[in-house]
Amino acid sequence: MQKAVFLDRDGVLNEVLNHRVKFVNRPEDLHLLEGVERAIRQFNEDGWKVYIVTNQGGVGLGYMTEDALGEIHDRLVDLLEASGARVDDIAYCPHMPHEGCACRKPEAGMILDLAETDDISLGESYMVGDREPDIQAGRNAGTRTVFIGNRMNRKIGADHHFRNLISFSNWLVNEKER
């Protein structure tokens, strides 16, 4: 079995709700956060599978089409690959909030499906997110959990807290050496 890092998208990999972009509804709205490319490259080099698992209720709500979402994800992959980083797959939930599907975080459907397809050991893997539903999805799937963002927000109950993705990847790579 393999180990994996499951990453939320908005707020972990790219900017959202800031001065430059409110929501990512078009490819040109996608701006990677500092250090993301290097972090993912570190995961790749250290033998971790890398997946993006993202709620995209904007599709169900009509703010964008699935084709437009595909273009956004193509841009994301292109930006990462230009820096020598790669993701193994991207899973998304297009359903509206409160629709009751098994794939929308905090449910674990996206993580469980990827794990089954690629023979992932969930107990050795991490779910990384910036919101409580991300952390709960990881818990529901049986992964370890990492909260990215304001360290003062500890009530979320993640196993680990880091300021940003590169801080987590540095820790993860160095943790193995201990």
Side-chain angles (χ1 to χ4, degrees):
M1 295 192 95
Q2 300 181 65
K3 57 188 179 178
V5 178
F6 297 92
L7 304 169
D8 177 49
R9 193 190 80 184
D10 299 330
V12 173
L13 302 179
N14 59 272
E15 296 176 16
V16 67
L17 298 174
N18 68 11
H19 67 283
R20 185 167 23 185
V21 61
K22 184 172 181 180
F23 298 109
V24 180
N25 291 326
R26 303 170 302 158
E28 55 269 23
D29 295 333
L30 186 87
H31 304 280
L32 294 179
L33 293 167
E34 185 176 345
V36 164
E37 301 100 318
R38 191 171 53 147
I40 292 176
R41 200 169 48 246
Q42 281 184 314
F43 297 141
N44 297 152
E45 291 167 357
D46 203 42
W48 294 86
K49 298 282 261 177
V50 178
Y51 300 100
I52 298 169
V53 291
T54 179
N55 288 345
Q56 292 298 316
V59 173
L61 292 168
Y63 295 120
M64 75 177 114
T65 64
E66 286 194 68
D67 287 343
L69 180 61
E71 291 173 11
I72 292 165
H73 288 161
D74 289 346
R75 174 172 161 76
L76 174 59
V77 168
D78 290 346
L79 289 171
L80 293 172
E81 287 180 350
S83 298
R86 74 166 199 297
V87 295
D88 292 283
D89 205 348
I90 300 174
Y92 65 91
C93 172
H95 303 108
M96 291 186 290
H98 310 295
E99 197 167 319
C101 65
C103 58
R104 186 173 180 81
K105 294 177 287 178
E107 300 302 324
M110 290 185 283
I111 298 169
L112 296 174
D113 288 348
L114 290 166
E116 183 178 331
T117 299
D118 288 348
D119 198 30
I120 301 299
S121 171
L122 290 170
E124 295 180 86
S125 298
Y126 290 88
M127 173 62 209
V128 182
D130 67 328
R131 296 178 51 242
E132 191 168 356
D134 303 322
I135 302 307
Q136 190 58 49
R139 288 197 183 292
N140 289 341
T143 70
R144 293 172 276 186
T145 56
V146 176
F147 178 77
I148 298 293
N150 182 347
R151 298 189 119 241
M152 295 176 63
N153 194 353
R154 293 186 180 269
K155 68 181 180 183
I156 286 185
D159 297 313
H160 304 281
H161 296 84
F162 293 93
R163 185 172 37 89
N164 52 34
L165 191 60
I166 190 65
S167 298
F168 169 58
S169 69
N170 287 337
W171 173 84
L172 187 60
V173 169
N174 291 325
E175 180 69 14
K176 186 177 90 173
E177 296 171 2
R178 291 185 185 144

